[in-house]
Amino acid sequence: MTKDYPMVKQIDFVIAVSRIRIIGIAIITGLIVIFLFGLFVSGNNKKENFEIINLSSLILLIILTALAFIVRNMILKKVDLSNILTTFFNAYIIPFVILDFGALFCISTNLFVNENILYASAGIIISVAGMILMLPREDQFEDIKNKSLTKDTASGEADIN
């Protein structure tokens, strides 16, 4: 019964936002560490006729970054007060996985498979910027609450809070 109060939902939301941010920061840190290690070991790792793989991995990262934002926005549309913990968490974790895959593929391809520091640097900048832009904000709770109240009012089940 106490789970239905808006204050409890807001506290749950703040805890979820904190956990998502920690995961996001851990992913960003991991990407930066892999990039830095890749710079040390890339050396003379040049292969003939592999330049197309370097470019295609960067293009794939850009596409997956856009896809991650689209997926996040699609899942966020489904979030309301009744499913705030699970759906909101999934709205960020699934896009984090998509973006992380693209970033790791781009960085590893451009540093470990065929050295291209320019594309690897562009890849780390795009992925870190995308992760930072994707981190959740605590003020999103008001939008979710208003959307839930509007939905409940339309169905005739509104509570007076």
Side-chain angles (χ1 to χ4, degrees):
M1 178 150 169
T2 59
K3 285 277 190 188
D4 294 335
Y5 292 118
M7 181 74 78
V8 174
K9 294 288 187 179
Q10 187 169 7
I11 292 169
D12 289 343
F13 178 80
V14 170
I15 291 169
V17 166
S18 299
R19 289 178 179 169
I20 294 167
R21 283 184 185 161
I22 289 170
I23 293 170
I25 291 168
I27 292 171
I28 291 169
T29 304
L31 290 175
I32 292 171
V33 167
I34 290 170
F35 175 75
L36 293 175
F37 282 150
L39 289 177
F40 287 120
V41 299
S42 62
N44 293 326
N45 200 12
K46 280 282 193 190
K47 293 186 171 72
E48 294 289 326
N49 301 324
F50 266 66
E51 292 81 19
I52 191 70
I53 293 175
N54 293 38
L55 181 60
S56 61
S57 70
L58 185 62
I59 292 170
L60 179 67
L61 172 62
I62 293 168
I63 292 169
L64 289 177
T65 302
L67 178 68
F69 280 99
I70 292 169
V71 167
R72 182 195 67 172
N73 292 337
M74 285 175 39
I75 298 174
L76 279 177
K77 288 180 183 177
K78 299 176 184 177
V79 176
D80 59 15
L81 288 178
S82 65
N83 63 7
I84 196 164
L85 286 178
T86 56
T87 309
F88 187 78
F89 193 76
N90 291 339
Y92 284 90
I93 297 305
I94 294 170
F96 280 0
V97 169
I98 294 169
L99 186 55
D100 190 37
F101 168 74
L104 288 174
F105 184 73
C106 180
I107 293 167
S108 62
T109 301
N110 287 304
L111 289 178
F112 299 111
V113 175
N114 189 24
E115 181 188 32
N116 191 327
I117 295 175
L118 180 65
Y119 286 168
S121 300
I124 193 72
I125 290 169
I126 291 169
S127 59
V128 169
M131 288 294 292
I132 290 172
L133 289 174
M134 196 174 294
L135 291 175
R137 302 176 322 271
E138 290 178 11
D139 63 348
Q140 289 175 302
F141 181 77
E142 291 301 320
D143 297 335
I144 294 168
K145 182 179 170 185
N146 292 337
K147 183 174 73 169
S148 295
L149 291 176
T150 304
K151 186 171 84 171
D152 288 346
T153 305
S155 66
E157 303 171 3
D159 284 339
I160 298 175
N161 295 326

